[in-house]
Structure formats: C-alpha cells, structure tokens
Amino acid sequence: MSGTSNSPKVSLPQAVLCLLLVWGWDLTCYAGEPQPWGIHILWPDTEILNPVPPELPSPLTIQRRLETTSENIQGLEAVVGPYSPELTPTLVSAAREAEEYGSPETALELYRWALHSTRINSGLSTEKQLPLLERILELLREQGDPVEVGRQIDYFYRLLGRGAEPWTEQRLQASVRWLSVQSELLASSPWAGKESGVLFVVQHANDMASAVCESAEWQDPWCKAISLEVLKLYYLIDFNIDPLVVDNFGVAQDRFPSPYQQNRDQAPGEYRLRNIESSLGSTARGLIDRALKLFPQDESLRHAKADWLMVKGRQAQALQIYQELQREGNVDFSKPGVLPEMPTLNRDHRFSREWDILSLTAEVAPRGNLKNINLSSATMTDDTLSGYARRQLRAMRFRPALSESGEAIGAPVAWRIKVLR
C-alpha cells in the first residue's frame, strides 16, 4: 500500500537509485501518499464503546413467542393473501421481534418478504422500501457479509433507475446512498482482481457528478453531495494505487513496491486505474472547484479542498483555507483533526478479520505528523494489533491545530480509535 510517513529518511541505496533514475527519467524520488483516516484507523461506534446488553427472556419463552408470531402471520396470510398490504406491518413487526431475540436469519427472511410485498403494492421505486432495505443491510453487516451487502445495494439501485434521467429527489438520494456504500466496501477489501468493478464505480460516479453539477434544476444540493462521494473514491484510489514512472523508451516502472506486477501482460483495468491515479491531484481539485464555482461560500466544500491539499503536501494552500474558515467563526480548528475530515471515509469493523478499540495519546506537530505515540487497550492480550496501529498512524497526516492568529501549532491529542485489519 502507498501509506508511509511524511518525512521519510532515504537510505544510501535509495539515494543512489534516485540519482540514477534522474539521469534517465524525468521524476523525483519520493514515498507513497499518506494513508487517509477511515481505512485502517477510524472513530469507534458509540454502540461499541457503550454496549448495553439486552435483557432477553429465556430461550423457551423466545421460541414460544416466535412460534406464536409465525402462527399469526400464517393465519393472516390465509385470509388476505401472501402479498396483501395488510400483511406488511405484521411482517415488519415480526422481523423486529426476531432481531430483538437474536434470530437474524428469521429477521432477514421476514424483512425480505415485507420488502417484496411493498414493491408489489406500492411500486418498485417507492420510498417505503428504504427503511426495510436499511434493516436488511444492517443484518447482512452483522453477519459479516460484504458481498451480499453489495448485491443488495446494487439490486436496489437498479430498481431506482441506476441514476439515469429523468431524475427525482429519490433517485438522486439513491445514487448518493449507493456511492456511499460502494466507497465503504472498496475500503474494506483488496482491489487485486476487482479492477473492472472499481472502474465502473468510479466512472459512474464521475458521470453522475458531471451531469448533476451541470443541471440547473438538480445541482442544488445534489452537486455537492455527489461530488463529496466521488472525492471519497479519489482518496481510496490515491491510497490503493501506486504511481508509475515512464522512462524515455516508454517502459513503465514502479516508483516503489506495488501489489501489481508490472509486465507486458498487465491487465487493462490495472493500467486504467494507474492512469487515473497519475492525474488524481488535479482531477480532485477540479471536482471540488466545479462545485465551489456553484457554491463559493460553502464551508463543507472549502473544508474538503483544504483537506485534499493538506494530504497532497500543499500545506501553505491548505492552511490559507483553514484560516479563512476559522476567521469566519463557524469552524473551530483550535484542536488537531484527522484527514480527511470532509468527507469522512468509513469502514465497517464487521467486515474485518481483526479489530480493536485503543486509547491513543500523542502530539500532532505543526507539519501534521504524529509524534510521541502511546497506545493502550483494556481488552488486547498482546501488542500485535498495537504495533500494527502504530505503523498505520505514522503513515498518516493530520490537520494541525491553529492558534487564534491562524498559525499552525503543535498540540496534544487523546483519542479513542478503532483499528481494523
């Protein structure tokens, strides 16, 4: 992966290599891009930090209640039919009961039945199905099944027109939701062998953003919302895809180790992703600037631009925007922040093979690097994950705290973080 520290020490062999490369190639030797917050390190969920174990009845009582509910459904179904709108509320109530009693498979079956009934009675594009879909997605997350989550959200998106015109509020809302889930899934698994799927999501997102931002009828507020979703994908590409250099003979070479082998048989998907990565800095700025042209004073878009500039090492430009936002009085940058803060990347710990919640104390230096890292956990029995977390944190860049005058200053942090791998 491309995440490394921001001020790497170059060894003598590396320095010699850089010198040799400069003779033959037009490039500079540098380390990979900083790792974004939200892939391996993110904020814990409130539910995880403060679990409240439910007081469940005895297993026998639960079984009897579920059997009674099943009999009630069968009796009502015999009277009104399997897809009557009168049956849907009973199915939803029964699914919630099954969830409460720890029977996810039963709950999934009932929610799917209710969803199918809703689509038959209210139409394939009705918003009544959205709460049912969200419950289905949550149950699939509980089962740790990202593949089925992807299939379910894809199916839902197809039913709502896959972002095609004519647009409605609901169709565009579905596009934002689909993109949000896609970025989460792409942050949760390796990309090798899945390049065509990644490219489809990125191209579809870019097309949606371009079309919506050019539509006078729909650009407010959807241009901003979709552009920020596209920016999430750009962060993921920046992190997952290592750049290439090309010598004077047109032969591609890696600047540093990559998960992809470079040879004549390189898959077209890999090549296209590398092409996207090669111009990503300007592409992302163009994406944000297009939205800012429509909404020049929007704080979220300006914050997003500053975060991207900071991650890409353009601290002076980023600080100028942070300072402007702070002077306007609506944003407090007196404490350090993670990058990106806008938009936030997220990943579900239930899709990870290992995770834990750690306490972190450290200092964010004026340049945005983390110093004096100290990690602890109340549950971890060994320091394997702690060492992993330390390496990830050192590969990140942070927004430094700003003084009242807008100067970047060092400041301590004490955070609870969730570490995933």
Side-chain angles (χ1 to χ4, degrees), residues 183-230:
S183 66
E184 181 186 1
L185 294 176
L186 290 175
S188 301
S189 61
W191 289 8
K194 304 176 183 177
E195 292 82 6
S196 60
V198 177
L199 284 166
F200 171 78
V201 174
V202 173
Q203 187 60 57
H204 181 70
N206 279 323
D207 291 345
M208 280 293 300
S210 297
V212 171
C213 291
E214 292 172 3
S215 170
E217 180 181 0
W218 296 104
Q219 60 190 205
D220 186 10
W222 298 104
C223 175
K224 169 184 170 180
I226 294 178
S227 295
L228 291 177
E229 291 299 330
V230 176

Coordinates of all heavy atoms in Angstrom, one line a residue, residues 183-230:
S183 N -18.1 3.1 -1.6 CA -16.8 3.5 -1.1 C -16.4 2.7 0.2 O -15.3 2.4 0.4 CB -16.8 5.0 -0.8 OG -17.7 5.3 0.2
E184 N -17.4 2.4 1.0 CA -17.2 1.7 2.2 C -16.7 0.2 1.9 O -15.8 -0.3 2.5 CB -18.5 1.6 3.1 CG -18.3 0.8 4.3 CD -19.6 0.7 5.1 OE1 -20.7 1.2 4.6 OE2 -19.6 0.1 6.2
L185 N -17.4 -0.4 0.9 CA -17.0 -1.7 0.5 C -15.6 -1.7 -0.1 O -14.8 -2.6 0.1 CB -18.0 -2.3 -0.5 CG -19.4 -2.6 0.1 CD1 -20.3 -3.0 -1.0 CD2 -19.4 -3.6 1.2
L186 N -15.3 -0.7 -0.9 CA -14.0 -0.6 -1.5 C -12.9 -0.4 -0.5 O -11.7 -0.7 -0.7 CB -14.0 0.4 -2.6 CG -14.8 0.2 -3.9 CD1 -14.8 1.3 -4.8 CD2 -14.3 -1.1 -4.6
A187 N -13.2 0.2 0.6 CA -12.2 0.5 1.7 C -12.0 -0.8 2.5 O -11.1 -0.9 3.3 CB -12.7 1.6 2.6
S188 N -12.9 -1.8 2.3 CA -12.9 -3.0 3.2 C -12.2 -4.2 2.6 O -12.0 -5.2 3.3 CB -14.3 -3.3 3.6 OG -15.0 -2.3 4.2
S189 N -11.8 -4.1 1.4 CA -11.2 -5.3 0.8 C -10.1 -5.0 -0.3 O -10.2 -3.9 -0.8 CB -12.3 -6.2 0.1 OG -12.9 -5.4 -0.9
P190 N -9.2 -5.9 -0.6 CA -8.2 -5.6 -1.6 C -8.8 -5.5 -2.9 O -9.9 -6.0 -3.2 CB -7.3 -6.9 -1.5 CG -7.6 -7.5 -0.2 CD -9.0 -7.2 0.1
W191 N -8.1 -4.8 -3.8 CA -8.6 -4.5 -5.2 C -8.1 -5.4 -6.2 O -8.7 -5.5 -7.3 CB -8.3 -3.1 -5.6 CG -9.1 -2.0 -4.8 CD1 -9.9 -2.2 -3.7 CD2 -9.2 -0.6 -5.1 NE1 -10.4 -1.0 -3.3 CE2 -10.0 0.0 -4.1 CE3 -8.6 0.2 -6.0 CZ2 -10.3 1.3 -4.1 CZ3 -8.8 1.5 -6.0 CH2 -9.7 2.1 -5.1
A192 N -7.1 -6.2 -5.9 CA -6.5 -7.0 -7.0 C -7.5 -8.0 -7.5 O -8.2 -8.7 -6.7 CB -5.3 -7.8 -6.4
G193 N -7.7 -8.0 -8.8 CA -8.6 -8.9 -9.4 C -10.0 -8.3 -9.5 O -10.9 -8.9 -10.1
K194 N -10.2 -7.1 -8.9 CA -11.5 -6.5 -8.9 C -11.5 -5.1 -9.6 O -12.4 -4.3 -9.4 CB -12.0 -6.3 -7.5 CG -12.1 -7.6 -6.7 CD -12.5 -7.3 -5.3 CE -12.5 -8.5 -4.4 NZ -12.8 -8.3 -3.0
E195 N -10.5 -4.9 -10.5 CA -10.3 -3.6 -11.1 C -11.4 -3.1 -11.9 O -11.8 -1.9 -11.9 CB -9.0 -3.6 -11.9 CG -7.7 -3.7 -11.1 CD -7.4 -5.2 -10.8 OE1 -8.1 -6.1 -11.3 OE2 -6.4 -5.4 -10.0
S196 N -12.1 -4.0 -12.6 CA -13.2 -3.6 -13.5 C -14.3 -3.1 -12.7 O -15.0 -2.1 -13.1 CB -13.6 -4.8 -14.4 OG -14.1 -5.9 -13.6
G197 N -14.6 -3.7 -11.5 CA -15.7 -3.2 -10.7 C -15.4 -1.9 -10.1 O -16.2 -1.0 -10.0
V198 N -14.1 -1.7 -9.7 CA -13.7 -0.4 -9.2 C -13.9 0.7 -10.2 O -14.4 1.8 -10.0 CB -12.2 -0.4 -8.7 CG1 -11.8 1.0 -8.2 CG2 -12.1 -1.4 -7.5
L199 N -13.4 0.4 -11.4 CA -13.5 1.3 -12.5 C -14.9 1.7 -12.9 O -15.3 2.9 -13.2 CB -12.8 0.8 -13.8 CG -11.3 0.8 -13.8 CD1 -10.7 -0.1 -14.9 CD2 -10.8 2.2 -13.9
F200 N -15.8 0.7 -12.8 CA -17.2 1.0 -13.1 C -17.8 2.0 -12.1 O -18.5 3.0 -12.4 CB -18.1 -0.3 -13.0 CG -19.6 0.0 -13.1 CD1 -20.2 0.3 -14.3 CD2 -20.3 0.0 -11.9 CE1 -21.5 0.6 -14.3 CE2 -21.7 0.3 -12.0 CZ -22.3 0.6 -13.2
V201 N -17.5 1.8 -10.8 CA -18.0 2.7 -9.7 C -17.4 4.1 -9.9 O -18.2 5.1 -9.9 CB -17.6 2.1 -8.3 CG1 -18.0 3.2 -7.3 CG2 -18.3 0.8 -8.1
V202 N -16.1 4.2 -10.2 CA -15.5 5.5 -10.4 C -16.1 6.2 -11.6 O -16.4 7.4 -11.5 CB -14.0 5.3 -10.5 CG1 -13.3 6.7 -10.8 CG2 -13.4 4.8 -9.2
Q203 N -16.2 5.5 -12.7 CA -16.7 6.2 -13.9 C -18.1 6.6 -13.8 O -18.5 7.7 -14.2 CB -16.6 5.2 -15.1 CG -16.9 5.9 -16.5 CD -16.0 7.1 -16.8 OE1 -14.8 6.9 -16.8 NE2 -16.6 8.2 -16.9
H204 N -18.9 5.7 -13.2 CA -20.3 6.0 -12.9 C -20.5 7.3 -12.0 O -21.3 8.2 -12.3 CB -21.1 4.9 -12.3 CG -22.5 5.1 -12.1 ND1 -23.5 5.2 -13.1 CD2 -23.2 5.3 -10.9 CE1 -24.7 5.4 -12.6 NE2 -24.6 5.5 -11.3
A205 N -19.6 7.3 -11.0 CA -19.7 8.4 -10.0 C -19.3 9.7 -10.7 O -19.9 10.8 -10.6 CB -18.7 8.1 -8.9
N206 N -18.2 9.7 -11.6 CA -17.8 10.8 -12.3 C -18.9 11.3 -13.2 O -19.1 12.5 -13.4 CB -16.5 10.5 -13.1 CG -15.3 10.6 -12.2 OD1 -15.2 11.4 -11.3 ND2 -14.3 9.7 -12.4
D207 N -19.5 10.4 -14.0 CA -20.6 10.8 -14.9 C -21.7 11.4 -14.2 O -22.3 12.4 -14.6 CB -21.0 9.6 -15.7 CG -20.0 9.0 -16.6 OD1 -19.0 9.8 -16.9 OD2 -20.1 7.9 -17.1
M208 N -22.1 10.9 -13.0 CA -23.2 11.4 -12.3 C -22.9 12.8 -11.8 O -23.7 13.7 -11.9 CB -23.5 10.5 -11.1 CG -24.3 9.3 -11.4 SD -26.0 9.7 -11.9 CE -26.6 10.5 -10.4
A209 N -21.7 13.0 -11.3 CA -21.3 14.3 -10.7 C -21.3 15.3 -11.9 O -21.8 16.5 -11.7 CB -19.9 14.2 -10.1
S210 N -20.7 15.0 -13.0 CA -20.7 15.9 -14.1 C -22.1 16.3 -14.6 O -22.4 17.5 -14.8 CB -19.9 15.3 -15.3 OG -18.6 15.1 -15.0
A211 N -23.0 15.3 -14.7 CA -24.3 15.6 -15.2 C -25.1 16.4 -14.2 O -25.8 17.4 -14.6 CB -25.0 14.3 -15.6
V212 N -25.1 16.1 -13.0 CA -25.9 16.7 -12.0 C -25.4 18.2 -11.7 O -26.2 19.1 -11.6 CB -25.9 16.0 -10.6 CG1 -26.5 16.8 -9.5 CG2 -26.6 14.6 -10.8
C213 N -24.0 18.4 -11.7 CA -23.5 19.7 -11.5 C -23.8 20.6 -12.7 O -23.7 21.9 -12.5 CB -22.0 19.6 -11.2 SG -21.6 18.9 -9.6
E214 N -24.1 20.1 -13.8 CA -24.4 20.9 -15.0 C -25.9 21.2 -15.1 O -26.3 21.9 -16.0 CB -23.9 20.3 -16.3 CG -22.4 20.2 -16.4 CD -21.9 19.4 -17.5 OE1 -22.7 18.9 -18.3 OE2 -20.6 19.3 -17.7
S215 N -26.7 20.5 -14.3 CA -28.1 20.7 -14.3 C -28.6 21.8 -13.4 O -28.5 21.7 -12.2 CB -28.8 19.4 -13.9 OG -30.2 19.5 -13.8
A216 N -29.2 22.8 -14.0 CA -29.6 24.0 -13.2 C -30.7 23.5 -12.2 O -30.9 24.1 -11.1 CB -30.1 25.1 -14.1
E217 N -31.5 22.5 -12.6 CA -32.6 22.1 -11.8 C -32.2 21.2 -10.6 O -32.7 21.3 -9.5 CB -33.6 21.2 -12.7 CG -34.8 20.7 -11.9 CD -35.7 19.9 -12.7 OE1 -35.4 19.7 -14.0 OE2 -36.8 19.4 -12.2
W218 N -31.1 20.5 -10.8 CA -30.7 19.5 -9.7 C -29.4 19.8 -9.1 O -29.0 19.0 -8.1 CB -30.7 18.1 -10.4 CG -32.0 17.7 -10.8 CD1 -32.5 17.6 -12.1 CD2 -33.1 17.3 -10.0 NE1 -33.8 17.2 -12.2 CE2 -34.2 17.0 -10.9 CE3 -33.3 17.1 -8.6 CZ2 -35.4 16.5 -10.4 CZ3 -34.6 16.7 -8.2 CH2 -35.6 16.4 -9.1
Q219 N -28.6 20.8 -9.5 CA -27.3 21.0 -8.9 C -27.3 21.4 -7.5 O -26.3 21.2 -6.7 CB -26.5 22.0 -9.7 CG -27.2 23.4 -9.8 CD -26.6 24.3 -10.8 OE1 -26.6 25.5 -10.7 NE2 -25.9 23.7 -11.9
D220 N -28.4 21.9 -7.0 CA -28.6 22.3 -5.6 C -29.6 21.4 -5.0 O -30.8 21.5 -5.3 CB -29.0 23.8 -5.5 CG -29.0 24.3 -4.0 OD1 -28.5 23.5 -3.1 OD2 -29.5 25.4 -3.8
P221 N -29.3 20.5 -4.0 CA -28.0 20.4 -3.3 C -27.2 19.2 -3.8 O -26.1 18.8 -3.2 CB -28.4 20.1 -1.9 CG -29.6 19.2 -2.0 CD -30.3 19.7 -3.3
W222 N -27.6 18.6 -4.9 CA -27.0 17.3 -5.3 C -25.6 17.3 -5.8 O -24.9 16.3 -5.8 CB -28.0 16.5 -6.2 CG -29.3 16.3 -5.5 CD1 -30.5 16.9 -5.8 CD2 -29.6 15.4 -4.5 NE1 -31.4 16.5 -4.9 CE2 -30.9 15.5 -4.1 CE3 -28.8 14.4 -3.8 CZ2 -31.5 14.7 -3.2 CZ3 -29.4 13.6 -2.8 CH2 -30.7 13.8 -2.5
C223 N -25.2 18.4 -6.4 CA -23.9 18.6 -6.9 C -22.9 18.4 -5.8 O -21.9 17.7 -5.9 CB -23.7 19.9 -7.6 SG -22.0 20.2 -8.2
K224 N -23.1 19.1 -4.7 CA -22.2 19.0 -3.6 C -22.2 17.6 -3.0 O -21.1 17.0 -2.8 CB -22.6 20.0 -2.5 CG -22.0 19.8 -1.1 CD -22.5 20.7 -0.1 CE -22.0 20.4 1.3 NZ -22.6 21.3 2.3
A225 N -23.3 17.0 -2.8 CA -23.4 15.7 -2.2 C -22.7 14.6 -3.0 O -21.9 13.8 -2.5 CB -24.9 15.3 -2.0
I226 N -23.0 14.6 -4.3 CA -22.4 13.6 -5.2 C -20.9 13.9 -5.3 O -20.1 12.9 -5.4 CB -23.1 13.5 -6.5 CG1 -24.5 13.0 -6.3 CG2 -22.4 12.6 -7.5 CD1 -25.4 13.0 -7.6
S227 N -20.5 15.1 -5.4 CA -19.0 15.4 -5.6 C -18.2 14.9 -4.4 O -17.1 14.4 -4.5 CB -18.9 16.9 -5.7 OG -19.4 17.4 -6.9
L228 N -18.8 15.1 -3.2 CA -18.1 14.6 -2.0 C -18.0 13.1 -2.0 O -17.0 12.5 -1.5 CB -18.8 15.1 -0.7 CG -18.7 16.6 -0.5 CD1 -19.5 17.0 0.8 CD2 -17.2 17.0 -0.3
E229 N -19.0 12.4 -2.5 CA -18.9 11.0 -2.6 C -17.8 10.5 -3.6 O -17.1 9.6 -3.4 CB -20.3 10.4 -3.1 CG -21.4 10.5 -2.0 CD -21.0 9.7 -0.7 OE1 -20.3 8.7 -0.8 OE2 -21.5 10.1 0.4
V230 N -17.7 11.3 -4.7 CA -16.7 11.0 -5.7 C -15.3 11.2 -5.0 O -14.3 10.5 -5.3 CB -16.8 11.9 -6.9 CG1 -15.7 11.6 -7.9 CG2 -18.1 11.6 -7.6

